């Protein structure tokens, strides 16, 4: 399970992040999926997700953080007086992934440049850079000399952003 999947299950969605909300409405919620889920084995990425699933009556087999990707990233950290912080989001999930938090704190942190990847965002701060969706190789080359990988999801495991930050010698927050 991924964290947002659990939140969507709790909200009554049948599929993904609510894009198929019409299906949930047609089927009158997701009550019918619980007996099916109770027969399966369930793994989550952290104890917060485990507790939430179990509060929904679904037994969790285990907690296992995951990371899929190239683990052969070179350490390229470079100190900079002006810190560079990168955040990544899925499409149409900017609030969940912390873009709104960055927008709120950026006014108080003009000495930090924030780099937002993965989705569009309208910012009022000149030191918040928005890249949208870029190929993984492009993002890796752009972030390699930055200082901080920031992950702001409430429900999250060991995300790719944090894994890349650690592997590149950056601070992972």
């Amino acid at each position: 399970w991924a964290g947002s999947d659990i939140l969507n299950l709790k909200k009554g969605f049948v599929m993904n992040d609510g894009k198929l909300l019409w299906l949930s409405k047609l089927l009158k919620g997701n009550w019918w999926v619980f007996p099916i889920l109770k027969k399966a084995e369930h793994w989550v990425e952290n104890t917060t997700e485990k507790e939430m699933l179990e509060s929904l009556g679904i037994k969790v087999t285990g907690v296992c953080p995951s990371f899929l990707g190239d683990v052969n990233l070179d350490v390229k950290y470079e100190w900079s007086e002006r810190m560079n912080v990168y955040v990544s989001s899925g499409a149409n999930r900017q609030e969940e992934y912390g873009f709104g938090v960055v927008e709120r704190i950026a006014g108080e942190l003009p000495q930090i440049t924030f780099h937002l990847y993965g989705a569009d965002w309208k910012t009022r701060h000149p030191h918040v850079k928005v890249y949208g969706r870029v190929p993984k190789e492009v993002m890796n080359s752009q972030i390699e000399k930055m200082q901080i990988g920031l992950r702001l999801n409430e429900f999250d495991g060991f995300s790719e952003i944090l894994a890349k930050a650690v592997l590149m010698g950056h601070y992972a927050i």
Side-chain angles (χ1 to χ4, degrees):
W1 285 86
S4 59
D5 296 331
I6 299 167
L7 292 175
N8 289 323
L9 181 69
K10 183 178 178 185
K11 291 177 187 174
F13 295 143
V14 175
M15 303 282 190
N16 65 28
D17 61 358
K19 291 177 194 155
L20 298 177
L21 181 58
W22 63 270
L23 182 59
S24 299
K25 287 179 180 178
L26 177 72
L27 297 172
K28 299 189 186 317
N30 64 4
W31 59 269
W32 56 272
V33 79
F34 282 88
I36 298 166
L37 291 174
K38 288 180 180 183
K39 294 178 184 177
E41 183 176 287
H42 301 279
W43 289 82
V44 294
E45 295 183 308
N46 60 51
T47 55
T48 301
E49 294 174 354
K50 178 181 187 290
E51 290 166 4
M52 177 61 74
L53 266 186
E54 289 179 343
S55 77
L56 297 172
I58 299 171
K59 184 180 183 302
V60 174
T61 304
V63 177
C64 180
S66 66
F67 170 69
L68 301 174
D70 183 3
V71 296
N72 297 308
L73 300 172
D74 295 330
V75 174
K76 302 245 178 148
Y77 174 88
E78 285 187 12
W79 182 87
S80 173
E81 188 170 335
R82 181 173 190 83
M83 296 190 78
N84 290 279
V85 176
Y86 53 96
V87 180
S88 182
S89 169
N92 302 314
R93 298 171 75 183
Q94 295 90 324
E95 284 295 335
E96 177 187 348
Y97 282 76
F99 283 23
V101 172
V102 168
E103 190 68 22
R104 287 190 297 279
I105 66 174
E108 301 297 320
L109 300 167
Q111 72 279 18
I112 296 174
T113 301
F114 293 93
H115 303 267
L116 307 182
Y117 288 91
D120 293 329
W121 184 258
K122 300 279 188 233
T123 183
R124 62 183 193 280
H125 303 287
H127 60 289
V128 175
K129 309 297 180 194
V130 180
Y131 302 90
R133 187 149 180 82
V134 299
K136 179 174 54 174
E137 297 77 21
V138 171
M139 182 180 170
N140 286 349
S141 72
Q142 290 176 346
I143 68 172
E144 67 184 13
K145 294 185 180 178
M146 293 185 189
Q147 292 76 39
I148 299 173
L150 180 62
R151 187 70 166 191
L152 295 167
N153 298 54
E154 180 180 352
F155 276 74
D156 201 8
F158 186 62
S159 75
E160 186 171 348
I161 286 296
L162 296 181
K164 283 182 181 185
V166 169
L167 291 168
M168 290 180 165
H170 304 163
Y171 293 98
I173 301 173

